[in-house]
Amino acid sequence: MLITFEGIEGCGKSTQVDLLFDYLNGKGHRVIKTREPGGTAYGEALRDVALRKNIEVFPLSELLTIMAIRAQHVEELILPALQDRAIIVCDRFVDASYAYQGYGRGIDLGIIETLNRLVTKGVRPNLTVLIDCPAGLGLKRKAKNDRSLDRFEKENLSFHRKIRNAYLKLAKEDKNRFFVVDGKAKVSVVSTIIRENVESLLIRYGFE
Amino acid sequence: MLITFEGIEGCGKSTQVDLLFDYLNGKGHRVIKTREPGGTAYGEALRDVALRKNIEVFPLSELLTIMAIRAQHVEELILPALQDRAIIVCDRFVDASYAYQGYGRGIDLGIIETLNRLVTKGVRPNLTVLIDCPAGLGLKRKAKNDRSLDRFEKENLSFHRKIRNAYLKLAKEDKNRFFVVDGKAKVSVVSTIIRENVESLLIRYGFE
């Protein structure tokens, strides 16, 4: 079972990934928490390079770096975990490429789809939780965390608005897979809503 | 004008790239020396990760990393230099992907061709110098250099034999572009042969 989380910077994604992981873990499930870009030793090392602030990266090169990371992630971690009937909770996956490199950077969506198909080897998320939140709120939250911002976080408000709208569009186009939560709500409220949704999914797939 | 050099590890490629660069430079041409994987700040940083010895990299991920590096290389350096009518001398380019990731790692050649077409944006080498040398000799030369070997150099003899044969096959399939030199010959002999070939190319393209 693959559960992915998507959303703009500062939407509360990582917090909710942690909370869901702890919850499922506490219930005795075999759960793996992972993220993109990253998730493997090779992928995390590429991520470090790809997010560096002071380096200029062309959109196509950025996309191919993300795809290199995803190819490694799928083969090294996700496919074996799925065969092992583990529950994978993943912070960003295929949809982030459409949102960021497609709608955000302007790369042709068909190219992204072709590459996603090549690297995922048929893996599709069973559930994608989109934590929706206004771009201004997300950026304000990020700025509060007292650390330097990476290449994506440094983008301006209009870029992050584009990403938010892209995610909402993607969710609308694939209603069966996406579950949209209001990221403006309290952390505990958001986590409860997500838990309920995941619980019904686990029952449906025979995990409970 | 784009002149690329190809060949297995230890064939003498980098030495000949340096010699040709110095020669053309000395003649007053605007020459740029570059390499793959690498060639840009971003590409060199990705290269450092991709060649690390102690990291497992799946073939498809390796290919996509190389393509990310090439996309950046073409857009940031090669295309502007070509528009500037510079002579680019490049240590490895598109053919290395067919040889290493295709024939070496077993990735479908059609996938490599599609990706090469995507990232090169129509750029094709005007001349590709293949320095051919037996795999055993190449590896012996590499081992002499007293430094630790990277992920590719660490591959065994049969891998490097495959790469050599792949390069010879590629050269045979595109005789107009490839120029094959015997890498067993002395450095000065090899460099003279290459110079003569490049000179006639420069005249043909109006650089002299």
Side-chain angles (χ1 to χ4, degrees), chain A residues 61-77:
Chain A
S61 186
E62 178 179 284
L63 174 70
L64 288 162
T65 311
I66 299 285
M67 291 296 174
I69 293 170
R70 184 163 301 141
Q72 182 81 12
H73 197 199
V74 167
E75 288 201 75
E76 183 180 327
L77 189 146

Side-chain angles (χ1 to χ4, degrees), chain A residues 41-42 45-46 49-50 52 55-58 60-61 64-65 67-68 71-72 75-76 111 115 118-119 121, chain B residues 41-42 45-46 49-50 52 55-58 60-61 64-65 67-68 71-72 75-76 111 115 118-119 121:
Chain A
Y42 185 60
L46 291 181
V49 175
R52 277 180 202 167
I55 215 159
E56 193 205 10
V57 184
F58 283 85
L60 183 59
S61 186
L64 288 162
T65 311
M67 291 296 174
Q72 182 81 12
E75 288 201 75
E76 183 180 327
I111 290 173
L115 289 169
L118 178 69
V119 299
K121 299 183 181 287
Chain B
Y42 184 60
L46 290 181
V49 175
R52 277 180 201 168
I55 215 159
E56 193 204 9
V57 184
F58 283 85
L60 183 59
S61 186
L64 289 162
T65 310
M67 291 297 173
Q72 183 81 12
E75 288 200 74
E76 184 179 326
I111 290 174
L115 289 169
L118 178 68
V119 300
K121 299 181 182 289

Side-chain angles (χ1 to χ4, degrees), chain A residues 32 34 39-40 72-82 88:
Chain A
I32 292 168
T34 184
T40 63
Q72 182 81 12
H73 197 199
V74 167
E75 288 201 75
E76 183 180 327
L77 189 146
I78 295 178
L79 274 179
L82 287 177
I88 307 163

Side-chain angles (χ1 to χ4, degrees), chain B residues 19-39:
Chain B
L19 289 171
L20 182 63
F21 172 79
D22 290 343
Y23 173 74
L24 293 173
N25 213 22
K27 287 191 66 182
H29 289 291
R30 200 153 13 114
V31 203
I32 291 169
K33 184 170 71 176
T34 183
R35 69 167 178 181
E36 282 201 6

Side-chain angles (χ1 to χ4, degrees), chain A residues 3-5 13-26 31 33 87-90 127 129 191 194-199 202:
Chain A
I3 302 169
T4 62
F5 279 71
K13 221 169 11 78
S14 308
T15 306
Q16 293 299 335
V17 164
D18 287 346
L19 288 171
L20 183 63
F21 172 78
D22 290 343
Y23 173 75
L24 293 172
N25 215 20
V31 202
K33 185 171 69 178
I87 301 172
I88 307 163
V89 181
C90 186
L127 170 69
V129 178
S191 78
I194 292 171
R195 260 174 220 181
E196 282 167 7
N197 207 280
V198 169
E199 281 295 353
L202 293 178

Side-chain angles (χ1 to χ4, degrees), chain A residues 3-171:
Chain A
I3 302 169
T4 62
F5 279 71
E6 300 281 359
I8 61 167
E9 316 294 332
C11 70
K13 221 169 11 78
S14 308
T15 306
Q16 293 299 335
V17 164
D18 287 346
L19 288 171
L20 183 63
F21 172 78
D22 290 343
Y23 173 75
L24 293 172
N25 215 20
K27 285 191 67 181
H29 290 291
R30 201 154 11 115
V31 202
I32 292 168
K33 185 171 69 178
T34 184
R35 69 167 179 182
E36 281 199 6
T40 63
Y42 185 60
E44 290 289 332
L46 291 181
R47 174 196 176 100
D48 282 348
V49 175
L51 298 188
R52 277 180 202 167
K53 284 177 292 287
N54 304 319
I55 215 159
E56 193 205 10
V57 184
F58 283 85
L60 183 59
S61 186
E62 178 179 284
L63 174 70
L64 288 162
T65 311
I66 299 285
M67 291 296 174
I69 293 170
R70 184 163 301 141
Q72 182 81 12
H73 197 199
V74 167
E75 288 201 75
E76 183 180 327
L77 189 146
I78 295 178
L79 274 179
L82 287 177
Q83 274 156 12
D84 219 29
R85 272 190 69 80
I87 301 172
I88 307 163
V89 181
C90 186
D91 191 336
R92 296 197 194 285
F93 194 52
V94 286
D95 302 295
S97 302
Y98 297 107
Y100 282 84
Q101 282 75 43
Y103 292 96
R105 307 280 196 215
I107 292 182
D108 181 84
L109 298 179
I111 290 173
I112 299 175
E113 199 183 339
T114 302
L115 289 169
N116 262 338
R117 208 177 300 139
L118 178 69
V119 299
T120 54
K121 299 183 181 287
V123 170
R124 269 189 99 243
N126 300 89
L127 170 69
T128 299
V129 178
L130 169 59
I131 306 188
D132 178 53
C133 123
L137 177 62
L139 288 184
K140 218 188 284 174
R141 283 177 181 165
K142 276 285 165 191
K144 257 194 206 163
N145 297 336
D146 190 29
R147 56 179 190 83
S148 70
L149 301 176
D150 69 35
R151 227 162 40 74
F152 286 95
E153 293 163 350
K154 272 176 59 193
E155 289 284 348
N156 63 21
L157 191 62
S158 97
F159 179 82
H160 292 287
R161 279 201 184 120
K162 248 194 264 179
I163 306 301
R164 184 200 184 184
N165 291 333
Y167 271 131
L168 288 172
K169 193 167 186 288
L170 291 166

